[in-house]
Amino acid sequence: MNAETSTIYRDELAHIVFVRKGRNIALKNTPANWELIGKGRSAYVFKIIGEQRAIKVFYPPFEHLAMEEARNYEKVAGISFFPRLYEAGEGYLVMDFISGKTFFDCLAEGVAITKDHVAQVDKALELARRAGLNPSDIHLHNLLLTETGTVRLIDIARFSQKKQCTQWQDLKRGYERHYGQRYFPKRVPKWLMMIVAYFYQLRKRLNGKQ
Ligand SMILES: Nc1ncnc2c1ncn2[C@@H]1O[C@H](COP(=O)(O)OP(=O)(O)O)[C@@H](O)[C@H]1O
Ligand SMILES: [Mg+2]
């Protein structure tokens, strides 16, 4: 493993407190020189101020995913579509901070997602497969577009699962059919994307049970 075993972020990590609020896990405090930049279904992510590094801190019960994701990042090390991993420890990862927007924010703000961007995702997934991974959980929040038009993939903890995931194929089909059509809005409201994602997940779960 390239990642170091001790961390210079030990004090900050010790100060992080998560509190359960119903079904949500809230963050109680952000360390002084960290800036909160994102939250997903398993972690809060911060930018370390003054550095081009991001730290992903997994909240309970997902701490174990840190090591899984670290192992996957090691497999794609050197592939430019993925951030470089600097450090992995109990419940956290330190990686490149990617300056850009998620595809979700691009759609919400009317930033064009081009065929080339889609092709870049395909290429990244192909390279990940060649590195022995099984890409899954590819959705709009896990795809980033940088200011120079390059695509980066993050959140690859689930790239080592056995199940086949069709999420990217489904997303791409939706893009090919609807994006750029006259009726497709310039900016897609976030609530609408959230509803579509909710029903997509619900349908997948119901189909899985059949
Ligand atoms: N390396 C990074 N650079 C910039 N933003 C990031 C980075 N990693 C995560 N983010 C932001 O934080 C959000 C949550 O991170 P993610 O790794 O997807 O967490 P989760 O596993 O909980 O879904 C992302 O959708 C993205 O907006
Ligand atoms: Mg995510």
Side-chain angles (χ1 to χ4, degrees), residues 27 35-40 43-47 55-57 59:
L27 175 72
E35 179 195 343
L36 181 64
I37 54 168
K39 183 202 176 214
Y44 280 87
V45 181
F46 308 86
K47 181 181 187 300
I55 182 158
K56 177 171 181 176
V57 185
Y59 51 75

Side-chain angles (χ1 to χ4, degrees), residues 71-158:
R71 273 194 293 273
N72 295 344
Y73 273 124
E74 277 164 27
K75 291 194 176 153
V76 294
I79 302 176
S80 64
F81 291 111
F82 299 91
R84 181 170 155 197
L85 182 71
Y86 296 100
E87 188 179 316
E90 251 178 71
Y92 74 91
L93 301 174
V94 182
M95 69 188 86
D96 280 330
F97 165 72
I98 297 157
S99 177
K101 288 181 194 303
T102 64
F103 277 26
F104 183 89
D105 287 335
C106 289
L107 286 175
E109 295 171 24
V111 173
I113 297 173
T114 65
K115 285 186 179 150
D116 171 64
H117 300 145
V118 172
Q120 287 188 51
V121 178
D122 276 332
K123 182 77 192 158
L125 297 178
E126 183 196 323
L127 294 173
R129 275 190 206 96
R130 275 200 229 154
L133 294 171
N134 179 28
S136 57
D137 201 29
I138 320 278
H139 56 71
L140 299 173
H141 296 280
N142 290 341
L143 300 169
L144 296 173
L145 180 62
T146 71
E147 284 115 6
T148 55
T150 53
V151 169
R152 297 281 178 272
L153 275 64
I154 52 161
D155 194 5
I156 63 169
R158 295 170 187 87

Side-chain angles (χ1 to χ4, degrees), residues 129-198:
R129 275 190 206 96
R130 275 200 229 154
L133 294 171
N134 179 28
S136 57
D137 201 29
I138 320 278
H139 56 71
L140 299 173
H141 296 280
N142 290 341
L143 300 169
L144 296 173
L145 180 62
T146 71
E147 284 115 6
T148 55
T150 53
V151 169
R152 297 281 178 272
L153 275 64
I154 52 161
D155 194 5
I156 63 169
R158 295 170 187 87
F159 272 35
S160 38
Q161 70 175 28
K162 297 278 175 294
K163 264 195 322 205
Q164 280 312 113
C165 175
T166 60
Q167 206 161 339
W168 171 244
Q169 294 313 321
D170 297 336
L171 209 52
K172 202 167 99 172
R173 199 176 323 118
Y175 174 88
E176 284 162 356
R177 274 191 197 161
H178 305 295
Y179 192 84
Q181 300 287 351
R182 259 166 198 255
Y183 56 80
F184 196 86
K186 175 132 179 51
R187 292 187 177 82
V188 187
K190 288 187 178 180
W191 60 264
L192 183 59
M193 287 192 274
M194 266 134 68
I195 288 177
V196 172
Y198 173 81

